[in-house]
């Protein structure tokens, strides 16, 4: 059999899956409460390691790319959640390509007809969707600070630190790609 993956890889995948799922004891809760607790658990797991955030964002991008195969009510729920949580996370980490694609796909599912008629539709409808999700004047940062558990765990600070780590790695990858390109020329 193949050797087991390195512990760090296993912990990243575990952070993406197991820590962001509710336990069986939550079965009696209403759907809104379950969703809220699941979001909190997911954000706590993401606060532990910046790579968990990247894996979670990549997983959500894959889900959004295959969303057309889901029933309409699930498309809307998942697109709204993506606009509410994952687009701001990608923005917070500075991963613009993921932020833009997640927003573009979300808006296509939230406003399929309106998008065709509005100039600069993606930007305007995406901004409107974020306002609807968080409420006027609120943001993911407001939510992270208002939620006592997330605030006590210093999650806003951890996510800001993750952004710096992501940008540092991104610059290293860009430099390595440039060096490889120059050496092959």
């Amino acid at each position: 059999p193949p050797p087991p993956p390195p512990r760090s890889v296993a912990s990243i995948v575990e952070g993406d899956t197991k820590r962001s799922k509710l336990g069986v004891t939550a079965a009696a809760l209403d759907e809104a409460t379950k969703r809220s607790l699941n979001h909190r658990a997911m954000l706590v797991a993401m606060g532990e390691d910046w790579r968990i955030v990247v894996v979670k964002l990549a997983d959500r991008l894959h889900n959004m790319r295959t969303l057309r195969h889901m029933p309409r009510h699930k498309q809307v729920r998942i697109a709204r959640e993506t606009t509410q949580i994952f687009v701001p996370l990608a923005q917070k980490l500075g991963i613009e390509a993921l932020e833009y694609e997640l927003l573009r796909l979300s808006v296509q599912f939230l406003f399929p007809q309106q998008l065709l008629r509005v100039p600069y539709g993606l930007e305007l409808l995406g901004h409107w969707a974020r306002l609807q999700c968080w409420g006027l004047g609120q943001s993911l940062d407001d939510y992270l600070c208002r939620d006592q558990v997330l605030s006590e765990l210093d999650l806003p600070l951890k996510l800001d630190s993750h952004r710096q780590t992501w940008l540092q790695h991104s610059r290293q990858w860009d430099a390595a790609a440039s060096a490889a390109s120059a050496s092959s020329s």
Side-chain angles (χ1 to χ4, degrees):
R7 180 67 192 137
S8 63
V9 173
S11 65
I12 292 167
V13 173
E14 180 180 304
D16 177 42
T17 56
K18 293 181 184 166
R19 285 186 225 145
S20 64
K21 303 292 182 203
L22 289 177
V24 177
T25 58
L29 300 173
D30 63 272
E31 286 303 313
T33 304
K34 285 182 201 177
R35 198 168 17 262
S36 176
L37 289 173
N38 194 34
H39 289 161
R40 178 189 287 164
M42 176 184 68
L43 289 166
V44 168
M46 288 182 193
E48 294 176 17
D49 189 331
W50 69 274
R51 296 170 296 181
I52 293 173
V53 183
V54 175
V55 168
K56 196 70 176 171
L57 288 169
D59 182 50
R60 180 49 62 117
L61 179 60
H62 169 74
N63 293 344
M64 290 301 296
R65 287 176 174 170
T66 60
L67 198 57
R68 66 184 174 280
H69 303 293
M70 301 287 270
R72 177 74 182 139
H73 71 280
K74 287 188 178 183
Q75 291 175 348
V76 171
R77 181 182 54 78
I78 292 169
R80 186 175 290 132
E81 180 182 78
T82 300
T83 304
Q84 182 181 14
I85 295 174
F86 294 94
V87 171
L89 278 172
Q91 181 182 31
K92 195 162 192 54
L93 253 62
I95 310 175
E96 293 174 0
L98 269 176
E99 174 193 0
Y100 184 78
E101 187 166 359
L102 287 169
L103 181 59
R104 181 182 62 78
L105 291 167
S106 295
V107 167
Q108 286 175 350
F109 286 104
L110 290 171
F111 310 104
Q113 298 304 313
Q114 295 89 331
L115 190 61
L116 300 173
R117 297 190 304 263
V118 178
Y120 306 105
L122 175 62
E123 290 81 6
L124 291 173
L125 292 171
H127 180 67
W128 183 86
R130 281 193 296 274
L131 288 176
Q132 292 302 305
C133 290
W134 292 109
L136 194 58
Q138 295 185 10
S139 66
L140 176 63
D141 287 330
D142 295 332
Y143 173 74
L144 295 175
C145 291
R146 268 194 337 265
D147 185 287
Q148 185 177 355
V149 171
L150 299 177
S151 182
E152 287 174 3
L153 292 171
D154 290 329
L155 198 65
L157 187 61
K158 289 178 182 178
L159 290 175
D160 286 341
S161 171
H162 292 347
R163 176 187 176 90
Q164 297 308 314
T165 304
W166 169 261
L167 294 174
Q168 177 185 359
H169 284 285
S170 184
R171 284 190 293 271
Q172 290 172 349
W173 296 326
D174 288 345
S178 294
S181 175
S183 68
S184 66
S185 299

